[in-house]
Amino acid sequence: IKSEIFKKINITEKDQNMRSLWCLLVALFAGATHAEIASFRLPSPWSFECDKTNSSFRTSGHLIPARCVKVPSSSSEKVQGLQACKMTCGSKGTLWPTPTGQVQLSSDLVHFIPQDFRVVSVSAPSEDVSNMINQFADVFREYLYMMNPDYEGEYKNPFSETPFINGKTVQVSISVESEDLTLDTETDESYSISIQRMSANELSRNSQTDRCEGPKATQRVKSKGKAEEAPGIHITVSAKTYYGARHGLETLSQMITYDDLSDTLQTYSTAFVDDEPSFKHRGLLLDTSRNFMSKKVIKKIIQGM
């Protein structure tokens, strides 16, 4: 009788051990499967093409010079996302409101990640103006983070260090002429933006004056320059006052979009924009007595202005 009891106890212990092992294997498999699903992404079956035939007039009655239409990627000569199509379809791209001066936007886009976006020089006549430009440059970097749909706030970069495609290095120079920080109806808020291609040697030379990254950025660009495989672009924002430079950076943010096909950012390989405000005073009336607006919504409206 005792031997039979011990046998049953041993069998019960074995069953429990097997069940525990089985549960552990299931948990590990489920975790691995979840991780694999989270990191795997199927290519989009759709692409977007620029339609300049004014075909929408038949249905809407409005003449639209250019619009992006969805087509199967299998029948498209160039597979691209909606934002890339919008940037290159019209003569003004995604710029709004339309700049008052000259606008030249290339049809070629370059990809990059925020890690490769650096302000290499700030030219300002006073320390106060320089500090304000540097502060807004930090805000601009968060603009880049916010373009990614996975951004969770707190200034945490949501972009991967190893994107699907090789990105370019983007260097920015900001120049302001006047040290006057007065803002009134007579303030000159004009600006210009110039985007030009750069060779690897030029990138390496400019990185030595990088205000954000220092020697680390110089070393990184030099390593790319040895193989001559990573040319980038240089963006110059010029203005007479700080407020013009701020408008220029806001316009530059409209010239950068998120590419969901490669999980990178994209901008023009070459471009030129000359602009100034159309009106001396701009305002917006918020009627919160009839339609309640939260503080978060009001902040977004102010940011959009």
Side-chain angles (χ1 to χ4, degrees):
I1 295 175
K2 289 182 179 181
S3 62
E4 291 180 358
I5 293 175
F6 283 124
K7 287 180 180 180
K8 290 181 180 181
I9 293 175
N10 291 334
I11 292 173
T12 304
E13 290 179 351
K14 289 180 180 179
D15 291 341
Q16 290 179 349
N17 292 335
M18 290 297 294
R19 290 174 182 174
S20 300
L21 180 61
W22 174 254
C23 291
L24 179 61
L25 292 174
V26 170
L28 292 174
F29 178 77
T33 304
H34 177 72
E36 183 180 358
I37 294 175
S39 61
F40 181 74
R41 179 181 297 177
L42 290 172
S44 174
W46 301 103
S47 180
F48 292 87
E49 294 182 352
C50 183
D51 180 15
K52 298 183 179 181
T53 61
N54 284 322
S55 59
S56 60
F57 179 78
R58 301 173 184 175
T59 56
S60 64
H62 299 282
L63 290 175
I64 302 177
R67 67 188 185 113
C68 294
V69 294
K70 181 189 291 187
V71 296
S73 59
S74 58
S75 61
S76 178
E77 296 181 358
K78 178 182 178 181
V79 178
Q80 62 180 357
L82 177 59
Q83 294 301 325
C85 180
K86 287 182 176 181
M87 292 178 67
T88 56
C89 190
S91 60
K92 302 298 189 297
T94 55
L95 296 180
W96 184 89
T98 301
T100 58
Q102 183 181 4
V103 177
Q104 294 179 350
L105 305 175
S106 68
S107 58
D108 297 328
L109 302 179
V110 296
H111 295 261
F112 69 97
I113 53 178
Q115 294 90 316
D116 292 327
F117 181 94
R118 290 185 285 272
V119 177
V120 295
S121 68
V122 174
S123 176
S126 68
E127 184 177 357
D128 291 339
V129 175
S130 178
N131 291 336
M132 294 179 69
I133 294 175
N134 286 324
Q135 290 177 5
F136 195 85
D138 293 334
V139 174
F140 188 90
R141 183 170 292 276
E142 188 173 17
Y143 284 178
L144 302 182
Y145 296 163
M146 293 170 63
M147 294 180 186
N148 192 312
D150 296 331
Y151 181 62
E152 298 178 354
E154 298 182 359
Y155 210 76
K156 294 181 180 179
N157 186 1
F159 289 86
S160 171
E161 291 284 350
T162 55
F164 295 107
I165 60 176
N166 293 327
K168 308 299 181 181
T169 299
V170 179
Q171 295 186 350
V172 182
S173 297
I174 306 173
S175 175
V176 175
E177 297 181 9
S178 175
E179 62 179 354
D180 187 10
L181 293 175
T182 303
L183 179 61
D184 53 31
T185 55
E186 301 302 323
T187 301
D188 189 338
E189 301 178 57
S190 62
Y191 65 90
S192 65
I193 302 174
S194 175
I195 303 179
Q196 297 178 340
R197 294 186 180 94
M198 295 189 68
S199 65
N201 291 332
E202 290 173 319
L203 290 172
S204 177
R205 183 168 58 252
N206 288 344
S207 295
Q208 296 176 3
T209 59
D210 194 329
R211 77 164 188 96
C212 296
E213 302 291 343
K216 180 179 179 182
T218 304
Q219 184 177 8
R220 184 176 185 182
V221 175
K222 282 183 178 180
S223 64
K224 292 181 178 181
K226 291 178 182 179
E228 296 290 340
E229 294 180 352
I233 60 173
H234 186 268
I235 303 174
T236 303
V237 180
S238 303
K240 292 186 177 181
T241 64
Y242 160 75
Y243 304 102
R246 185 182 64 181
H247 292 326
L249 289 173
E250 288 287 353
T251 299
L252 179 61
S253 68
Q254 296 182 8
M255 300 168 69
I256 302 173
T257 60
Y258 174 75
D259 181 28
D260 56 344
L261 300 181
S262 61
D263 191 31
T264 60
L265 297 174
Q266 54 193 356
T267 188
Y268 300 98
S269 59
T270 58
F272 179 80
V273 176
D274 186 30
D275 188 23
E276 63 180 353
S278 300
F279 305 98
K280 293 184 177 182
H281 174 75
R282 286 149 292 167
L284 186 66
L285 175 62
L286 300 180
D287 186 0
T288 58
S289 61
R290 295 175 178 82
N291 300 281
F292 175 76
M293 297 181 183
S294 65
K295 183 170 66 175
K296 182 179 180 181
V297 171
I298 295 177
K299 284 185 175 180
K300 285 186 176 181
I301 294 175
I302 295 175
Q303 183 180 15
M305 295 178 64

